[in-house]
Amino acid sequence: MATARKGRELFTILETSADTESSTVCDSQDSPLNLSADVKWFEIPYRKPDSDEEDEVREEEEDGEGENGFTSTAAAAAAAAAETADAASFIAGGGCNIILVTGSNGIEHDEEEYAEDCYYSTSTNCSDTTSNDSDIDFSDLEEEERRSFFSFEDDSDEDCTSADFWGEPDQVISIEPFSAVSGPQHSLGDDADTRDYFRILFPDSLFEHMVEQTNKYALYRQRRSGKSDPHWHPTDVREMEAYLGLNILMGINQLPDTGMYWASDIFIGNAGFKKTMTARRFEKLTQYLQLCDRETEPVRGERGYDALFKIRPLLDVVENTMWDAYTPNRCLTVDKCAIVMKGRFSPTQYMPPKPLRKGLTVWMLCDSRTGYCHRATIYVGKPSEDEAAASLGYRVVTSLVRGLERQHHHLFMDSFFTSAPLLQRLLRDGLYACGPTQPGRRGYPEVLRPRNVGKLSQGEFYQCQRGNLVATVTRDVKVVSCLSTNSAPGIVGISPGRQQLEADGEGESDGMNCSGLSFGVPRPLPLLLYQENMKGVDLCDQLRECYQVGRPCKKWWRYFLWFYVNLCIVNAYIILRESRGGAPPAGFNGKQFTQRHFRVRLAQQLIGDYQGARGMERAARKRHADSPIEYGHRLERMSERSRRCRNCTNKGLRHESVFGCKICNVHLCRGGCFSEFHK
């Protein structure tokens, strides 16, 4: 636990000259685990008072402070500060580059003791997947001490709500190095194109399944209605691939209505869409598109009922391909994304504070660096009575990280998931985690709750520790509470502010641009790690939301279908980019191969040279023009309801008729329209 405050001082001058910065900063030039190199950081070794005499000495030193209100924490810093007339003006002049926030003001130690207590060595950033170094150096520790510090199996069995569970933040944490092989896993060569990478995640067997179930569903609907659909004929794999390619192109060339792609207006209609298939054929494929056998679907309440039965074949295939195609890197993100929906589905959530107020919820496990989605879990409503004992966030995270045990990954999640029991469970499984949490949640230390810490100043923080589990409360823009198992207590970093970055870009700057305001708010290490690595799902959403796939409809499962198709496209693009090192595939002449180029190229390869019913219909009309009666074309009653005559419509007239030609599937007036149309 952090000691009580005796004043309102927040900052401690560690160095009063930029030239002496290297004498106090750790030898390594790298940043702590998963941090970027532009973050100024320091380690605060926790010092617990041995007697009341030390407190009295500390009070005397605090009384002897100057008007600037800053306290020196080392003899060298005090001497340098004495040479300076005013510490605050010196900082404003740009001489002080490193500022440290202390949880309890007035910590005293000399440089030799500081070096002895610096347990933590730096590590590489999470973007460097080839490094196996740990951010903890145990070279000076005995094997028995290391074993005692890393015995989290014993801590996990204890109740985190007990009064003696949390202790002072003076323990050494233990983080095992990440040594697993990570990155894309495939056998494609340099000549592979976008269709090959997409096939890794969306195999041809899935197209075959879609064709089979779509044809079965069309017959199922016609049997139920008792009428045959004259506009439907069975589809095949080539047509289904072309249908998917058109849906991908609709996300790039967006129009308000589907029929506008087949409009006769040269400024609106798309010649490629017209050549591929007719608008009516596209509508029929959309109408009968299916992924499951509807005749065997169990009803709610029956044994074996599955809320996601309509998309279960898709989930079984895509979840395995996404997991196998890319081995997770060290840093992973767990967060949720929302899918816009206009239909009716019971698990649809209403979230007023969010930009998307109504939609479907999907929890995702993504790579913090690339945004690749390894696994996704769909929210299907409240849990059953058997699952009610465990919290929803606990069950979601444990299901997403299944298969990563003992690989020492680092997970970053938001306050919806983070809890002390969850972090204990992950630590027992060999996984480290970090994220903000709710201060009133079970297991959070009582002394760090808002009613006990009082009003915090910006940058001030307090910490409690239990082995690797560290609880932190600090004030940034607002009060933030967080839990972590991958960050040591007492480490604070300051990111360069906007003014400082502008000054660095200009090369020269005056004293105002290098003032203390140029630095950001000092933050404890858990918050720095969270801000650096809690971006995996956001990166995936940015790539996915740029170009939508599919059209809005009233069937809820269609949204999940297009969501996973879009997700496979994004993942395939990331695999291609990672595998080729940013180099475009063969045949691309542009400067940079972006996601837009990937989608257009993929759609073109899916469509290929396919020519649907429009070309065949035109050929049939030309072949039967001489003698329509000989080939079965005859004028007969089409329906009970009259519709517009096709021949009159072509001439700009409006006449309706119940008669027509069933082979051509058009309504025609009785008289000369039949022979005139077939000519």
Side-chain angles (χ1 to χ4, degrees):
M1 285 174 289
T3 57
R5 294 174 289 170
K6 291 186 174 63
R8 303 305 300 178
E9 297 81 5
L10 299 179
F11 300 95
T12 300
I13 301 177
L14 292 183
E15 291 295 334
T16 55
S17 175
D19 299 335
T20 61
E21 178 179 336
S22 59
S23 63
T24 311
V25 183
C26 295
D27 296 337
S28 176
Q29 296 181 357
D30 297 329
S31 302
L33 176 68
N34 312 329
L35 280 183
S36 58
D38 59 347
V39 177
K40 297 291 185 180
W41 65 278
F42 258 92
E43 301 156 1
I44 311 175
Y46 179 78
R47 289 286 182 170
K48 189 173 182 180
D50 297 333
S51 62
D52 297 338
E53 296 178 358
E54 295 185 2
D55 296 339
E56 295 177 359
V57 174
R58 186 177 293 108
E59 292 178 0
E60 293 177 0
E61 293 179 354
E62 291 179 355
D63 295 338
E65 292 176 359
E67 296 178 357
N68 51 21
F70 290 86
T71 307
S72 173
T73 61
E83 296 176 0
T84 308
D86 188 0
S89 61
F90 187 83
I91 295 175
C96 181
N97 291 337
I98 302 174
I99 300 177
L100 180 66
V101 177
T102 60
S104 56
N105 296 322
I107 296 178
E108 298 182 37
H109 57 277
D110 52 26
E111 294 184 356
E112 296 180 359
E113 294 176 347
Y114 179 84
E116 293 176 357
D117 292 335
C118 185
Y119 297 126
Y120 314 102
S121 65
T122 59
S123 177
T124 56
N125 191 279
C126 69
S127 61
D128 186 7
T129 59
T130 61
S131 175
N132 298 331
D133 298 334
S134 171
D135 68 330
I136 308 301
D137 187 7
F138 289 101
S139 58
D140 297 333
L141 295 178
E142 298 294 338
E143 187 65 25
E144 295 181 359
E145 294 179 350
R146 179 180 179 183
R147 190 159 46 242
S148 63
F149 283 128
F150 198 63
S151 59
F152 53 79
E153 289 85 355
D154 298 336
D155 294 340
S156 62
D157 295 333
E158 299 183 13
D159 185 10
C160 59
T161 60
S162 60
D164 57 347
F165 180 82
W166 294 97
E168 303 286 352
D170 55 357
Q171 307 173 37
V172 179
I173 69 170
S174 174
I175 300 180
E176 291 294 317
F178 175 76
S179 58
V181 179
S182 59
Q185 304 294 324
H186 60 81
S187 58
L188 298 178
D190 295 337
D191 57 344
D193 214 326
T194 55
R195 178 70 177 91
D196 301 317
Y197 288 97
F198 182 72
R199 188 180 285 110
I200 297 176
L201 301 164
F202 205 92
D204 295 337
S205 60
L206 203 50
F207 281 107
E208 296 173 359
H209 179 80
M210 293 172 62
V211 169
E212 179 184 358
Q213 297 302 328
T214 300
N215 292 331
K216 291 179 62 176
Y217 181 67
L219 297 177
Y220 169 75
R221 285 287 303 272
Q222 295 179 41
R223 286 198 305 267
R224 289 192 58 181
S225 62
K227 298 180 181 179
S228 61
D229 190 347
H231 305 296
W232 170 256
H233 60 83
T235 183
D236 54 13
V237 175
R238 285 291 296 113
E239 187 177 36
M240 187 61 66
E241 291 179 350
Y243 172 78
L244 181 60
L246 293 181
N247 277 278
I248 295 175
L249 292 176
M250 286 181 179
I252 299 174
N253 181 20
Q254 299 182 11
L255 293 177
D257 185 69
T258 306
M260 297 180 67
Y261 293 96
W262 286 268
S264 57
D265 192 335
I266 60 174
F267 297 104
I268 299 178
N270 191 303
F273 280 67
K274 299 176 183 178
K275 181 180 178 181
T276 304
M277 65 178 63
T278 62
R280 175 175 292 174
R281 183 58 180 173
F282 185 88
E283 293 176 358
K284 287 300 175 181
L285 289 173
T286 304
Q287 177 182 352
Y288 293 118
L289 181 64
Q290 197 64 229
L291 296 174
C292 66
D293 189 357
R294 294 294 300 274
E295 296 182 358
T296 61
E297 181 181 5
V299 185
R300 182 186 296 271
E302 292 184 358
R303 185 177 181 180
Y305 170 76
D306 185 7
L308 301 177
F309 179 83
K310 291 182 174 63
I311 60 171
R312 182 58 61 188
L314 173 70
L315 298 180
D316 293 340
V317 175
V318 173
E319 287 182 353
N320 293 330
T321 56
M322 289 195 308
W323 185 258
D324 297 336
Y326 197 106
T327 304
N329 291 319
R330 177 173 60 182
C331 299
L332 303 173
T333 303
V334 177
D335 202 354
K336 77 172 182 178
C337 71
I339 305 175
V340 182
M341 179 182 173
K342 296 183 178 180
R344 296 181 59 185
F345 188 47
S346 57
T348 303
Q349 289 187 318
Y350 180 68
M351 303 164 286
K354 302 294 182 179
L356 179 61
R357 296 188 176 185
K358 182 181 179 182
L360 304 172
T361 299
V362 179
W363 290 290
M364 303 170 64
L365 175 68
C366 296
D367 186 82
S368 298
R369 181 174 60 89
T370 63
Y372 181 91
C373 179
H374 298 281
R375 189 171 282 165
T377 300
I378 300 175
Y379 175 73
V380 292
K382 296 181 179 180
S384 60
E385 296 180 358
D386 298 337
E387 300 174 343
S391 63
L392 180 60
Y394 185 96
R395 291 186 291 104
V396 169
V397 174
T398 53
S399 63
L400 288 176
V401 301
R402 186 178 64 257
L404 299 178
E405 293 80 3
R406 302 296 174 182
Q407 297 185 21
H408 312 298
H409 292 274
H410 294 252
L411 304 178
F412 298 89
M413 59 197 80
D414 62 9
S415 58
F416 178 81
F417 307 98
T418 309
S419 64
L422 174 61
L423 266 64
Q424 287 180 285
R425 163 69 183 276
L426 295 176
L427 192 61
R428 186 171 66 251
D429 293 340
L431 299 172
Y432 306 99
C434 177
T437 186
Q438 301 295 334
R441 188 162 289 174
R442 175 178 175 268
Y444 194 77
E446 186 69 24
V447 294
L448 298 186
R449 297 178 187 263
R451 62 176 178 270
N452 294 326
V453 297
K455 184 177 181 181
L456 297 176
S457 300
Q458 194 173 32
E460 190 176 10
F461 73 98
Y462 291 93
Q463 290 181 321
C464 293
Q465 185 179 4
R466 176 69 175 187
N468 267 42
L469 186 59
V470 177
T472 305
V473 59
T474 184
R475 181 178 179 84
D476 190 53
V477 178
K478 60 181 181 179
V479 178
V480 180
S481 302
C482 64
L483 293 170
S484 63
T485 56
N486 62 348
S487 56
I491 297 183
V492 179
I494 302 177
S495 301
R498 181 179 302 175
Q499 297 180 4
Q500 180 68 24
L501 293 176
E502 294 176 356
D504 295 341
E506 295 174 359
E508 296 181 358
S509 59
D510 53 11
M512 294 299 294
N513 290 335
C514 295
S515 64
L517 296 177
S518 64
F519 292 98
V521 177
R523 299 180 178 90
L525 182 58
L527 266 68
L528 293 174
L529 296 179
Y530 178 80
Q531 292 173 347
E532 286 284 333
N533 301 286
M534 187 63 186
K535 57 184 179 181
V537 178
D538 295 335
L539 290 175
C540 183
D541 286 344
Q542 289 175 4
L543 294 173
R544 184 177 54 84
E545 292 291 341
C546 288
Y547 308 101
Q548 293 291 338
V549 178
R551 308 291 297 187
C553 63
K554 295 183 179 180
K555 297 181 179 181
W556 62 267
W557 65 269
R558 295 281 180 89
Y559 291 93
F560 288 120
L561 167 63
W562 300 127
F563 168 79
Y564 275 97
V565 171
N566 206 354
L567 200 59
C568 289
I569 296 174
V570 172
N571 285 347
Y573 170 69
I574 295 174
I575 293 177
L576 181 144
R577 186 179 59 187
E578 293 290 310
S579 301
R580 305 180 66 91
F588 180 75
N589 299 324
K591 295 183 179 180
Q592 185 178 4
F593 191 72
T594 63
Q595 184 192 188
R596 176 173 58 84
H597 297 118
F598 181 89
R599 289 176 179 263
V600 173
R601 195 180 183 95
L602 174 61
Q604 291 174 348
Q605 293 178 4
L606 287 173
I607 296 173
D609 56 352
Y610 177 80
Q611 186 177 357
R614 178 174 290 275
M616 294 186 296
E617 182 179 337
R618 288 177 176 175
R621 288 182 181 178
K622 183 177 181 180
R623 185 171 64 252
H624 301 163
D626 298 336
S627 179
I629 304 298
E630 181 180 351
Y631 292 93
H633 294 259
R634 58 179 56 86
L635 186 66
E636 52 187 326
R637 194 178 189 90
M638 293 284 293
S639 62
E640 298 296 332
R641 181 180 177 182
S642 61
R643 297 184 182 274
R644 295 184 62 175
C645 173
R646 176 66 63 85
N647 188 59
C648 295
T649 302
N650 294 338
K651 294 187 297 184
L653 304 176
R654 183 180 180 89
H655 295 107
E656 295 185 355
S657 173
V658 295
F659 296 93
C661 178
K662 286 189 176 182
I663 294 180
C664 297
N665 195 22
V666 293
H667 283 248
L668 298 169
C669 297
R670 300 180 67 178
C673 286
F674 176 81
S675 58
E676 185 177 350
F677 174 80
H678 285 88
K679 289 180 181 180

